[in-house]
Amino acid sequence: MGIATRTRTKPKKPSQFKVLMLNDDYTPMEFVVMVLKGFFRMDMEQATQVMLHVHQRGVGVCGIYPYEIAETKVTQVMDFARQNQHPLQCTLEKA
């Protein structure tokens, strides 16, 4: 009689994706801060830091999420920006 060995497979963590905000010369800084506070649950200080980082470096990370959540956030931000006539761009990439 053989010994039953069970190989335990660890559940794979879902891939994480970075939500990135891209700089443009038209979207007001206040609007970017409002987006970061509203969609990414940042406080004023954190939102301001990320906004300045995006402004100076051209791109900044808003948050890291599983794919579906990251994709939803990108869509929400882009829709909200368009509704307010801003060209703000948001995208995602694998973390």
Side-chain angles (χ1 to χ4, degrees):
M1 192 156 100
I3 300 167
T5 56
R6 274 195 357 210
T7 55
R8 285 172 49 137
T9 54
K10 281 194 189 132
K12 233 178 80 181
K13 269 194 177 152
S15 297
Q16 297 285 300
F17 287 79
K18 288 189 254 189
V19 176
L20 303 173
M21 190 173 279
L22 309 176
N23 187 43
D24 65 72
D25 296 329
Y26 306 101
T27 306
M29 292 179 175
E30 299 77 23
F31 184 79
V32 174
V33 168
M34 184 174 73
V35 166
L36 292 168
K37 285 169 65 180
F39 293 102
F40 299 98
R41 306 263 182 267
M42 294 183 188
D43 59 25
M44 189 67 187
E45 191 179 335
Q46 201 183 3
T48 302
Q49 283 179 340
V50 172
M51 175 274 294
L52 287 171
H53 182 90
V54 170
H55 181 67
Q56 290 157 357
R57 304 273 171 87
V59 64
V61 179
C62 303
I64 299 174
Y65 307 94
Y67 182 76
E68 285 76 18
I69 296 171
E71 191 182 38
T72 300
K73 297 232 181 242
V74 167
T75 304
Q76 289 173 332
V77 169
M78 299 281 278
D79 289 351
F80 185 66
R82 298 301 160 273
Q83 287 162 13
N84 289 275
Q85 277 95 44
H86 296 304
L88 187 65
Q89 292 290 312
C90 206
T91 185
L92 55 88
E93 74 174 27
K94 215 167 158 103

